[in-house]
Amino acid sequence: MLRLSSLVRFVLTILPIVAGLLWVNPVDLWAHDGQGGHAGALRLELPEGKECVKSAEWMRRNHMDFLKHNRDQAVREGIRVKTDSLKNCTTCHTSREKFCDRCHTYTGVAPNCFECHHYPK
Amino acid sequence: MTMATLERRAVLGLAGALAAGVTLAPGMTLLAAPAERTEASAGRRWAMLIDTTQCAANCTACTTACRKENNVPLFGEPSRDIHWIRKVEIRDKDQRRPTVSLPVLCNHCENPPCVHVCPTEASFIRKDGIVLVDEHRCIGCRYCIIACPYKARSLVYHETKRGAESNPDVPIRSKGVVEKCTFCVHRLDNGQEPACVEACKGEGKGAMLFGDLNDPRSEIAKRVHTVATKTMRPDLGLKPRIYYQGL
């Protein structure tokens, strides 16, 4: 008798929790729709200009190393190449929010560069 | 043999001058058009000569220009404010010598103690002798601030924001990094003089002279070799590259 009542009590406490989880979860997932996260395809603002500083395919994979390499060259050796500077990205990818940040949010990276560096938008 | 080398050097020099742009005055070149690619030259030694007799006590042209060019903020807290260049007054206790006013900035020493103590190699000497902080590597440990006898370095204690009047060509700063005068390295690489020197020539009385000590034809090399100059605390053996005249 004792066993049965505790089982009933157990089921009665678990049920609302499970129901609660089921109810909350879908809402949580829908909230991400279109706002970064992994819902749907990633849509980036098309850049101005015809070609990237390297091929788009290469840049997609290597822009982080490219930028950091240029950074070290510029700061430590004084080797400044106008076309490869961080500033130059802004001439074609005019909006950081709609290009860089959108992909970074999607892929879960948070470069801290723009705490210091200027990106017009 | 010597002649041949000389000629070769002269020819190379000419080609270099043509490639670099217009030579304004010996030792100071201004690029006609911004170069597509620049590199620090190991042959140069940038230095500054400050004529204290021409530095007016109430003039702040250099410090104001520096703040504007490099987005250096003022928090209004004397112990935490960032100074890349500051005006100092030197008084003789016995009043036998007149009081002089002069700017103090990073001395870009040949033997910089700040670089020697840096645990991350964030502080370094560039090939042309400029002492810099690579803010991308700086962890804010402040050893360098303690090591510098000129109090040329500051730690950034507060977050800063870009404003409408900020210079977009120069980064602002993150909280927790150390920074100091860069001799306006971004301007140098673009063929311009440091902002303080330009301002001193304009609004000031032209007390500051900037140039390449390794170029015997440069104005600064000539002056340093003909005029009596002093460096600050030469006894420390750091070989500073800020020379003072009339001190």
Side-chain angles (χ1 to χ4, degrees), chain A residues 71-83 87 112 115-118, chain B residues 34 36-40 121 124 126 134 136-137 162 168-169 171-172 174 189:
Chain A
R71 170 190 76 186
D72 294 345
Q73 294 268 294
V75 174
R76 301 190 80 94
E77 310 287 337
I79 300 173
R80 294 173 196 260
V81 185
K82 275 257 146 62
T83 50
K87 200 173 145 200
N112 68 346
E115 279 177 25
C116 300
H117 289 277
H118 181 52
Chain B
E36 284 306 308
R37 186 185 187 281
T38 62
E39 182 169 355
E121 285 181 23
F124 66 102
R126 208 170 81 145
D134 185 343
H136 307 101
R137 289 183 76 120
R162 234 170 233 289
D169 293 336
I172 53 169
S174 285
D189 289 350

Side-chain angles (χ1 to χ4, degrees), chain A residues 93-120:
Chain A
H93 305 292
T94 47
S95 169
R96 179 157 65 91
E97 226 167 78
K98 292 184 188 137
F99 186 74
C100 319
D101 286 359
R102 201 169 274 176
C103 185
H104 289 158
T105 324
Y106 190 87
T107 49
V109 267
N112 68 346
C113 319
F114 304 102
E115 279 177 25
C116 300
H117 289 277
H118 181 52
Y119 211 106

Side-chain angles (χ1 to χ4, degrees), chain B residues 156-222:
Chain B
V156 182
Y157 277 97
H158 302 288
E159 310 253 347
T160 52
K161 286 255 163 353
R162 234 170 233 289
E165 69 290 347
S166 301
N167 179 356
D169 293 336
V170 175
I172 53 169
R173 60 247 327 111
S174 285
K175 186 175 162 180
V177 296
V178 169
E179 57 175 54
K180 64 165 195 76
C181 158
T182 63
F183 264 171
C184 282
V185 67
H186 58 287
R187 288 172 59 97
L188 282 185
D189 289 350
N190 201 27
Q192 295 165 289
E193 287 189 306
C196 55
V197 178
E198 197 177 272
C200 189
K201 279 184 184 162
E203 307 147 52
K205 295 206 284 178
M208 288 171 148
L209 178 65
F210 185 85
D212 177 11
L213 271 188
N214 273 5
D215 178 0
R217 296 164 307 161
S218 73
E219 188 64 27
I220 188 161
K222 284 183 200 157

Side-chain angles (χ1 to χ4, degrees), chain B:
Chain B
M1 182 61 204
T2 339
M3 272 309 286
T5 334
L6 257 179
E7 270 169 29
R8 215 173 84 86
R9 281 185 66 185
V11 171
L12 281 178
L14 183 66
L18 285 175
V22 192
T23 306
L24 269 188
M28 199 60 229
T29 47
L30 185 77
L31 302 171
E36 284 306 308
R37 186 185 187 281
T38 62
E39 182 169 355
S41 154
R44 290 187 191 269
R45 280 298 170 273
W46 296 113
M48 194 184 284
L49 173 60
I50 298 167
D51 184 351
T52 56
T53 60
Q54 297 300 310
C55 185
N58 56 2
C59 178
T60 53
C62 56
T63 55
T64 313
C66 176
R67 284 195 188 279
K68 210 168 152 217
E69 174 69 25
N70 295 298
N71 297 322
V72 184
L74 259 183
F75 303 124
E77 287 173 67
S79 65
R80 295 188 163 186
D81 266 332
I82 302 169
H83 299 283
W84 286 21
I85 178 169
R86 62 190 198 275
K87 285 295 290 285
V88 167
E89 211 167 71
I90 299 182
R91 256 173 269 115
D92 185 4
K93 270 192 210 139
D94 307 327
Q95 298 196 320
R96 276 176 307 190
R97 289 150 139 255
T99 302
V100 284
S101 170
L102 48 89
V104 175
L105 60 157
C106 171
N107 277 257
H108 297 274
C109 310
E110 198 174 314
N111 303 315
C114 51
V115 172
H116 296 315
V117 298
C118 180
T120 60
E121 285 181 23
S123 284
F124 66 102
I125 314 175
R126 208 170 81 145
K127 274 190 279 188
D128 49 3
I130 307 179
V131 176
L132 291 173
V133 186
D134 185 343
E135 288 184 32
H136 307 101
R137 289 183 76 120
C138 177
I139 56 168
C141 76
R142 290 168 264 180
Y143 282 11
C144 56
I145 298 189
I146 299 164
C148 176
Y150 305 111
K151 288 195 185 174
R153 294 180 164 233
S154 317
L155 179 84
V156 182
Y157 277 97
H158 302 288
E159 310 253 347
T160 52
K161 286 255 163 353
R162 234 170 233 289
E165 69 290 347
S166 301
N167 179 356
D169 293 336
V170 175
I172 53 169
R173 60 247 327 111
S174 285
K175 186 175 162 180
V177 296
V178 169
E179 57 175 54
K180 64 165 195 76
C181 158
T182 63
F183 264 171
C184 282
V185 67
H186 58 287
R187 288 172 59 97
L188 282 185
D189 289 350
N190 201 27
Q192 295 165 289
E193 287 189 306
C196 55
V197 178
E198 197 177 272
C200 189
K201 279 184 184 162
E203 307 147 52
K205 295 206 284 178
M208 288 171 148
L209 178 65
F210 185 85
D212 177 11
L213 271 188
N214 273 5
D215 178 0
R217 296 164 307 161
S218 73
E219 188 64 27
I220 188 161
K222 284 183 200 157
R223 285 259 293 274
V224 164
H225 286 114
T226 52
V227 184
T229 57
K230 276 186 188 159
T231 56
M232 270 195 282
R233 292 296 306 270
D235 55 312
L236 296 174
L238 310 177
K239 302 201 179 151
R241 289 211 189 85
I242 309 287
Y243 295 84
Y244 292 94
Q245 182 183 339
L247 202 63

